[in-house]
Amino acid sequence: MKPSIPQGTRDFSAAVLRKRNFILQTIRSVFETYGFEPLETPAMENTETLMGKYGEEGDKLIFKILNNGLNNPDKKEAVIQDFNAVLEGKTNKGITERALRYDLTIPFARYVAMNQGQLTFPFKRYQMQPVWRADRPQRGRYREFWQCDADVAGSAALLHEVELSLIYTNVFNKLKVPVEIHINNRKILGALAAVCGGEDMMMDITIAIDKLDKIGMEKVKDELIGKGLSMEQVDTVESFISIAGSNDEKLKALEDMFSSIPQGLEGINEMKTILGSFNAIKGITSAGTQLHVDLSLARGLNYYTGTIFEVKALGVQMGSIGGGGRYDDLTGLFGVKGIAGVGISFGVDRIYDVMEELTAFPESIQKGTTALFFNTGMEEQQHVLGVAENLRSKGISCEIYHEQAKFDKQFKYAERKNIPFVVIIGSKEIEAGTALVKELASGTQTEMKVDDLLQGLGY
RNA sequence: GAGGUUGUAGCUCAGUUGGUUAGAGCGUCUGAUUGUGGUUCAGAAGGUCGUGGGUUCGAGACCCAUCAUCCUCCCCA
């Protein structure tokens, strides 16, 4: 058979992995400086933990794992019955009890609900793991991809929104990726829905206006009419998303629009508080990124109830590279009421694609092995093994060429692996107690005492 | 789930209206060079043309199916 890997998955070579790790380490270090603690959860969850949390479309994209033992003759009748349910589009524990995690937020909520007695609130955790979606792969879209989430559970304080915004600005500042952070509030969108056909229309309205920059105003209006809004209501939506100007001007216009709707005013006040606090502090790290009030920002996930975030890279055609928001009652889905939360997510794979396109990765992260010892024979190899072992104990990565070969070949190996130094210790050098060190980039070669190797390799 | 693109050597790709033994560049290997790479020169290996059918005297090329791929929509990171 021809070797292959599943659609939408990738192998990561050394060069790719170093770049990915650079992104992951940058994010992790920022998370840690804000006091978030690591958490990892299993690749699979119980199917019922995930189902129904991501909307109808989301349910279809969850990878379900087939149960074992379905061919047990004793259970044949039950399995056939269960499978018929699957054919009708229902998921069924008898067929698929487990599923691959779809994101990190729901597993986090499940974890908080399970461990609420042991946790110290507010509970601040970060999580960096792969997630899986049965999506059709395309540019910036994979079936296995990594997310990095930071969430706070058990606090309604807007301080967290401010700090999470600062995390976004600091991470992308360190990665040298220019971004725009869009911010909106579900309460404001709720107020809009209340004015235009009722609260239960909020999802339809938000999904439609979320497409504004992609399909344009007319198509958005068509979609709204299709959802059953009256012309008058559609006009209200249009005037809402047409609000332009600075953040302050937008908020002022919103206040006028929703002056009689408490929910809307609450959302507006939250935005004002967050923006005021963020703007007063962001100069300290001189991360110049701004928060942009974006009234067409909606986000599809239906558990958000307050602030919502989305991060877009500037100068690259790519969907959002980060997103998040506040949810009042996430653990309520698991029977634990009253734990509010807020969190953000980084899309590692898209950040990688963006950085690749912007050639934003620093050269320095591609260093692997520091020195390659040439192999000039079995006896010399044994001697060199000791020298190498000595250097390794001091934290210097080095390799010995695996067999005696023409220098030509050994040089090429060093070159291809991007190894900066070649060290030659042959019979002559062993006798003299020296080593020949050649720096490949410059071609300069120096003979030195074996004891001086450390300095010779630039340490 | 809907629509489209592409599939030829390890990689990137040529291959004329269907016509003899399917090519190039890069890479790999060997030698010029028995302890000094990147340059140069000479040579070699490497292909069931994604897979399976069909049309034809003859198919890499045309038709059908299938698989893979990338892209767009839906939705999302």
Side-chain angles (χ1 to χ4, degrees):
Chain A
M1 67 176 280
K2 271 188 186 167
S4 65
I5 55 174
Q7 188 183 35
T9 65
R10 296 145 298 156
D11 292 320
F12 298 121
S13 67
V16 175
L17 223 32
R18 291 206 179 95
K19 294 181 200 168
R20 289 177 65 88
N21 285 338
F22 173 68
I23 297 172
L24 291 171
Q25 276 157 20
T26 303
I27 295 171
R28 177 185 288 116
S29 69
V30 174
F31 282 169
E32 297 256 359
T33 57
Y34 284 81
F36 287 80
E37 296 182 311
L39 173 72
E40 291 197 0
T41 63
M44 64 186 96
E45 292 279 347
N46 293 326
T47 305
E48 58 187 10
T49 302
L50 305 181
M51 292 299 289
K53 311 299 193 295
Y54 308 106
E56 224 174 285
E57 288 300 313
D59 281 356
K60 290 183 195 162
L61 299 178
I62 295 172
F63 271 110
K64 287 107 191 165
I65 299 169
L66 198 63
N67 288 358
N68 293 65
L70 292 179
N71 57 350
N72 184 341
D74 297 344
K75 295 179 181 165
K76 190 172 177 185
E77 283 310 313
V79 168
I80 288 172
Q81 219 168 355
D82 287 342
F83 191 73
N84 283 333
V86 172
L87 289 180
E88 285 162 27
K90 300 167 190 161
T91 54
N92 192 299
K93 261 181 101 167
I95 302 294
T96 168
E97 205 175 332
R98 293 163 290 266
L100 292 175
R101 76 172 156 249
Y102 178 90
D103 71 354
L104 301 178
T105 309
I106 294 297
F108 168 65
R110 187 225 79 216
Y111 176 84
V112 172
M114 272 177 74
N115 298 282
Q116 45 158 331
Q118 279 74 259
L119 300 175
T120 306
F121 290 101
F123 176 57
K124 298 162 78 173
R125 85 86 175 78
Y126 73 88
Q127 190 169 353
M128 313 204 300
Q129 288 188 280
V131 301
W132 294 269
R133 295 185 190 177
D135 222 336
R136 188 71 56 99
Q138 56 186 278
R139 179 181 162 82
R141 176 171 304 189
Y142 306 96
R143 290 187 141 184
E144 177 184 64
F145 60 98
W146 280 60
Q147 293 194 326
C148 301
D149 280 30
D151 287 82
V152 184
S155 166
L158 295 177
L159 168 70
H160 304 302
E161 272 90 332
V162 177
E163 289 196 336
L164 292 170
S165 304
L166 290 168
I167 287 176
Y168 268 143
T169 63
N170 282 320
V171 166
F172 288 114
N173 196 43
K174 281 178 196 244
L175 293 176
K176 302 210 185 334
V177 174
V179 295
E180 225 172 52
I181 302 171
H182 295 245
I183 180 172
N184 198 2
N185 195 298
R186 273 285 172 86
K187 288 173 185 167
I188 295 172
L189 294 169
L192 176 69
V195 176
C196 305
E199 292 275 349
D200 52 341
M201 292 301 294
M202 188 173 90
M203 279 314 294
D204 288 332
I205 294 172
T206 55
I207 285 174
I209 65 178
D210 199 35
K211 297 175 190 166
L212 177 65
D213 57 340
K214 213 168 191 175
I215 63 175
M217 183 65 79
E218 287 312 308
K219 292 248 172 89
V220 169
K221 286 164 78 173
D222 289 347
E223 189 163 330
L224 288 171
I225 290 165
K227 294 292 181 191
L229 269 72
S230 70
M231 282 311 293
E232 197 187 339
Q233 291 168 334
V234 171
D235 287 344
T236 308
V237 174
E238 179 173 7
S239 62
F240 173 81
I241 48 182
S242 299
I243 292 172
S246 68
N247 288 344
D248 288 343
E249 286 163 352
K250 283 179 187 166
L251 292 174
K252 184 77 190 62
L254 284 176
E255 273 179 336
D256 295 342
M257 192 167 186
F258 296 127
S259 57
S260 61
I261 302 172
Q263 182 195 20
L265 293 175
E266 201 180 316
I268 294 163
N269 281 331
E270 287 180 8
M271 294 260 268
K272 276 184 174 171
T273 306
I274 294 163
L275 287 167
S277 175
F278 177 85
N279 287 332
I281 214 75
K282 71 171 195 286
I284 289 177
T285 48
S286 65
T289 308
Q290 306 281 332
L291 291 185
H292 292 265
V293 172
D294 179 357
L295 299 177
S296 71
L297 171 61
R299 296 192 56 74
L301 295 174
N302 50 20
Y303 47 68
Y304 292 121
T305 52
T307 306
I308 44 183
F309 296 105
E310 198 155 288
V311 184
K312 291 201 171 108
L314 297 172
V316 179
Q317 190 61 42
M318 180 66 71
S320 65
I321 57 176
R326 175 167 285 283
Y327 35 86
D328 279 340
D329 197 22
L330 197 60
T331 55
L333 298 165
F334 301 104
V336 178
K337 299 281 180 196
I339 299 180
V342 58
I344 56 169
S345 179
F346 290 83
V348 177
D349 304 76
R350 285 188 178 174
I351 294 171
Y352 179 96
D353 290 344
V354 166
M355 289 181 70
E356 199 68 291
E357 201 162 325
L358 297 174
T359 55
F361 288 106
E363 283 284 326
S364 55
I365 62 176
Q366 283 306 341
K367 292 234 169 72
T369 306
T370 300
L372 175 72
F373 285 89
F374 273 18
N375 194 323
T376 61
M378 281 308 285
E379 275 178 40
E380 293 89 335
Q381 175 184 304
Q382 188 57 36
H383 178 87
V384 159
L385 197 51
V387 178
E389 206 53 15
N390 218 339
L391 287 175
R392 287 166 177 159
S393 72
K394 291 174 177 125
I396 296 168
S397 59
C398 42
E399 295 183 55
I400 303 166
Y401 197 77
H402 63 286
E403 63 188 5
Q404 183 177 5
K406 293 172 65 172
F407 276 27
D408 185 318
K409 226 174 164 181
Q410 307 198 41
F411 267 119
K412 277 186 178 153
Y413 178 82
E415 204 167 60
R416 240 175 311 156
K417 280 196 73 175
N418 212 6
I419 300 172
F421 292 102
V422 146
V423 181
I424 303 168
I425 303 180
S427 50
K428 281 188 290 185
E429 288 80 12
I430 292 176
E431 212 166 305
T434 60
L436 274 175
V437 176
K438 183 162 184 174
E439 188 184 9
L440 270 84
S442 61
T444 56
Q445 181 170 303
T446 45
E447 187 162 5
M448 63 187 68
K449 290 271 176 214
V450 170
D451 296 340
D452 296 336
L453 261 179
L454 207 60
Q455 295 90 296
L457 298 175
Y459 285 86

